[in-house]
Amino acid sequence: MIRKLLIFSCLLISTTICFAQEKNAEKEVDKAVDQLIGLMVNPDSLGLDQLLLNNLSYGHSSGKVQTKQEFIHSLLSGESDFVGDIILGDPKTIIQGNIALVRHKLMAQTNDKGVKGSVNLYILLIWSKEKSGWKLLGRQAVKVP
């Protein structure tokens, strides 16, 4: 009886530890998403360089796909300019090992190349857990129907 109780206790503790680790990882991913959004509104080359993986694939709803360098350049040059706050809705995060998938709705005002506009998109972000934290590996956007 004591042996069964000991086994049950060990299983319960293991489950609790795994759940706590998963919640902590989700908070870290959420923080990385917040960093990305902040850098999209107020671009900083060093901050972007540290948050994005070198083999980034950044897909737009138009079908255009950018590399890390192209994405950073578009933000710093004003080619892609977010005006004011970017609003995220309906976030859903899935963490599988060292990969995190984050889906959300993105709504924002833009001023791309001096042309005012607005975006209403569904976004999929793919994050990779690296030694230095969660880094963006991929992004794909589609227009909300």
Side-chain angles (χ1 to χ4, degrees), residues 5-145:
L5 185 59
L6 183 60
I7 291 171
F8 177 74
S9 296
C10 288
L11 288 173
L12 186 61
I13 290 169
S14 295
T15 303
T16 303
I17 289 170
C18 288
F19 181 74
Q21 287 174 339
E22 185 177 312
K23 283 297 175 189
N24 188 45
E26 195 169 322
K27 285 180 184 179
E28 290 174 359
V29 171
D30 290 345
K31 183 179 175 185
V33 171
D34 290 343
Q35 268 186 289
L36 175 64
I37 297 305
L39 288 165
M40 289 170 68
V41 174
N42 297 303
D44 167 63
S45 59
L46 182 59
L48 287 163
D49 185 57
Q50 291 175 348
L51 189 63
L52 310 174
L53 286 173
N54 288 334
N55 55 347
L56 172 72
S57 177
Y58 192 92
H60 295 267
S61 61
S62 65
K64 179 180 180 179
V65 178
Q66 293 178 312
T67 64
K68 175 182 178 175
Q69 294 76 20
E70 291 168 335
F71 173 58
I72 290 173
H73 174 74
S74 70
L75 289 173
L76 295 174
S77 70
E79 180 183 319
S80 181
D81 185 13
F82 290 92
V83 180
D85 292 334
I86 294 176
I87 300 167
L88 302 182
D90 303 325
K92 293 175 183 68
T93 302
I94 298 169
I95 298 174
Q96 182 69 45
N98 291 333
I99 299 294
L101 302 179
V102 179
R103 288 190 177 274
H104 58 254
K105 188 174 180 181
L106 180 147
M107 296 154 284
Q109 298 301 310
T110 59
N111 191 21
D112 297 347
K113 296 183 184 175
V115 178
K116 293 183 188 265
S118 63
V119 291
N120 188 18
L121 304 169
Y122 289 126
I123 304 292
L124 170 64
L125 299 172
I126 303 164
W127 295 90
S128 175
K129 176 71 173 184
E130 305 294 318
K131 289 179 183 177
S132 57
W134 289 95
K135 306 298 178 192
L136 187 64
L137 173 62
R139 183 255 200 191
Q140 184 59 57
V142 295
K143 293 177 183 169
V144 173

